[in-house]
Amino acid sequence: MKRKGSMLLWLLIGLFTMTINGFADEKTPENEFRVGMETAYAPFNWTQTTDANGAVLKNGEKGAYAGGYDVEMAKKIADGLGKDLVVVPIQWDGLVPALKSGKIDAIIAGMSPTEERRKEIDFTEPYYESDLVIVTQKNSDYADAQTLDDFKGAKITAQLNTFHYTVIDQIPDVDKQQAMKDFSAMRVALASQTIDGYVSERPEGVTASNVNKELKMIEFEDGNGFETQAEDVQVAVGMRKNDPDVQKTNEILATIPQEERVKIMDEAVANQPSATSEEEEPSLLQDFKTIIKQYGTLFLKGAGTTLLIAIISTVVGVLIGLLVGVFRTLPKSENVVLNFLQKVMNLLLTIYIEVFRGTPMMVQAMVIFYGFAMLFHWNMDRTFAALFIVSINTGAYMSEIVRGGIFSVDDGQFEAAQAIGMTHGQTMNKVVLPQVLRNILPAIGNEAVINIKDTAVLSVISVGDLFFQGTAASGTNLQFFQTFTIIGAMYLVMTLTATGLLRLLEKKMDGPTAYKKSDTVIEEGEQEETNL
């Protein structure tokens, strides 16, 4: 019993040590200029599947390229610095944490150098300046608006953590809606008439109205639109505090004349991929075909990443759950030192379980992926981070399931095992755990299905799973219903397949007796009906 307790203790310590060693002390290579952007904010940046029009391969995503105005400006800056450009796809909320934690060298993502952001990071001189517009539906009551007063009473929103959201208050009696995560969400809300419009910059408004003929961009003449400061409508390159490359970047930007910048933006608007080509007759079926043709490969790769994370994390999580669940059921050791270690370990395990069961996985992902890099200067590979986060989250739930499975075994079996001289370890291995594994198999299957779906929350750390690829595609083609219908169907296929395989495994573990028992029940039921 003592040896069994020591072995489990050292296994848990070893697992923790392996986890810590999985962090790579990664630093940005000297010859690389790593730039973060959403790759889903056309025409500033978008995702495509070829290198057409100067697109750049996205870091860590084979077959996925980033194009747009931001990419072209990043290429010029990288050339001026004498470095190779690496585009790192990161969702908007993760850009500043990624920069501060050293995962990227710069943010070139249509970001305005507001006073609040300047407290956290430094900015270069602006590389583009635009006007604020409102995007609405062409057939809405506000389609002919010319001033802010014409939007009185309208339901208006803007992107979260942007200056756009603050200027909404300038509209008289506006029905200000909750800020939304990204432009994809706002366009969906506008199409479903949940909102009447959203605040945007002119290039995005031009793209939205060009791609979706049901949308209209409302521009305002001087004095009729939003009151803004110069920095509010400018976009600049964000860099870490006191980065010496800020001055170098300013010198590079100074060599790009205004006429060339306008030309680059015009080309970006023209080159932005749309869901349906002009030669094709627009229809829902044609939209599905075009999206699959354009992004089908990326969706399959995203599905592969989703399955990889879900399967490995479920297996690792079950192993963690077994170790933790068995350890927490160990009887108290008679050895003073081991008894103390047991208590300490039980306390740590209780904290681990309560923390990871009591907080959302999305929050855990942000804290672990960005927080650890900021505090300890350890940068995880994104895929490893995803596996680590989902595994320990699953382990926390499985440990309680395993513990409940152990306690559900009849006490008489423990007593019988002790009566024939079995140790606690032998009792667990030979008698209890085989029953526990069979009993918790449905729960394991449930966790597997949950993990397939929950990988979607890892988009906050820009893991290239199925949901992330769908977001990038819909942010480029503006076909949200069609894109996410395809994504939803792919998730359904994966979960149904996983459920079917696990049910087959259950029958296999039960053996032929399960079938005989089932047949007996059916025959008895038929006999009762006959008697009645």
Side-chain angles (χ1 to χ4, degrees), residues 84 98 117 123 151 183 189 234 282 316 350 356 368 378 465 491 514:
D84 298 327
R117 292 187 184 126
F123 283 95
F151 282 93
F183 282 87
Q234 295 170 341
V316 175
T350 300
F356 282 93
I368 293 173
W378 288 333
D465 72 327
Y491 271 115

Side-chain angles (χ1 to χ4, degrees), residues 240-412:
R240 282 185 292 276
K241 285 286 186 180
N242 304 316
D243 190 330
D245 282 343
V246 172
Q247 184 58 38
K248 295 179 183 178
T249 303
N250 281 331
E251 294 172 1
I252 296 167
L253 291 174
T255 65
I256 308 174
Q258 181 62 26
E259 295 78 11
E260 184 176 356
R261 300 186 190 194
V262 172
K263 180 182 177 182
I264 294 173
M265 177 55 80
D266 290 342
E267 290 176 349
V269 172
N271 294 333
Q272 186 262 330
S274 60
T276 307
S277 64
E278 294 180 358
E279 295 80 13
E280 295 170 340
E281 185 69 24
S283 67
L284 190 61
L285 180 60
Q286 185 59 53
D287 288 342
F288 283 126
K289 290 181 179 179
T290 304
I291 293 169
I292 292 172
K293 181 180 178 181
Q294 289 182 336
Y295 298 101
T297 302
L298 288 183
F299 292 166
L300 289 175
K301 289 180 179 179
T305 301
T306 293
L307 288 175
L308 174 71
I309 295 170
I311 293 171
I312 294 179
S313 298
T314 301
V315 172
V316 175
V318 171
L319 292 176
I320 293 173
L322 285 171
L323 289 173
V324 174
V326 171
F327 184 86
R328 297 184 77 196
T329 61
L330 286 175
K332 293 182 180 179
S333 175
E334 297 175 1
N335 184 290
V336 177
V337 176
L338 282 178
N339 184 269
F340 173 75
L341 290 175
Q342 246 183 297
K343 290 181 179 179
V344 172
M345 204 64 186
N346 271 319
L347 176 62
L348 294 175
L349 291 175
T350 300
I351 294 173
Y352 154 64
I353 291 169
E354 295 305 324
V355 167
F356 282 93
R357 290 175 68 221
T359 57
M361 192 190 296
M362 184 179 292
V363 174
Q364 296 164 16
M366 292 288 284
V367 170
I368 293 173
F369 187 67
Y370 294 119
F372 275 47
M374 289 182 187
L375 295 175
F376 308 112
H377 304 291
W378 288 333
N379 286 338
M380 292 186 190
D381 172 80
R382 292 182 194 279
T383 304
F384 174 82
L387 291 169
F388 175 71
I389 292 161
V390 182
S391 294
I392 58 177
N393 183 277
T394 303
Y397 284 95
M398 289 306 305
S399 63
E400 290 298 280
I401 292 172
V402 170
R403 191 165 69 97
I406 292 172
F407 288 145
S408 68
V409 176
D410 189 83
D411 290 340

Side-chain angles (χ1 to χ4, degrees), residues 8 21 48 51 104 106 112 120 126 132 162 171 178 190 208 259 281 321 386 507:
L8 280 171
N21 290 335
Q48 59 188 60
D51 60 356
I104 56 176
S112 300
E120 302 294 327
L132 295 183
T162 64
I171 302 174
Q178 177 67 40
L190 183 58
E259 295 78 11
E281 185 69 24
K507 291 182 178 179

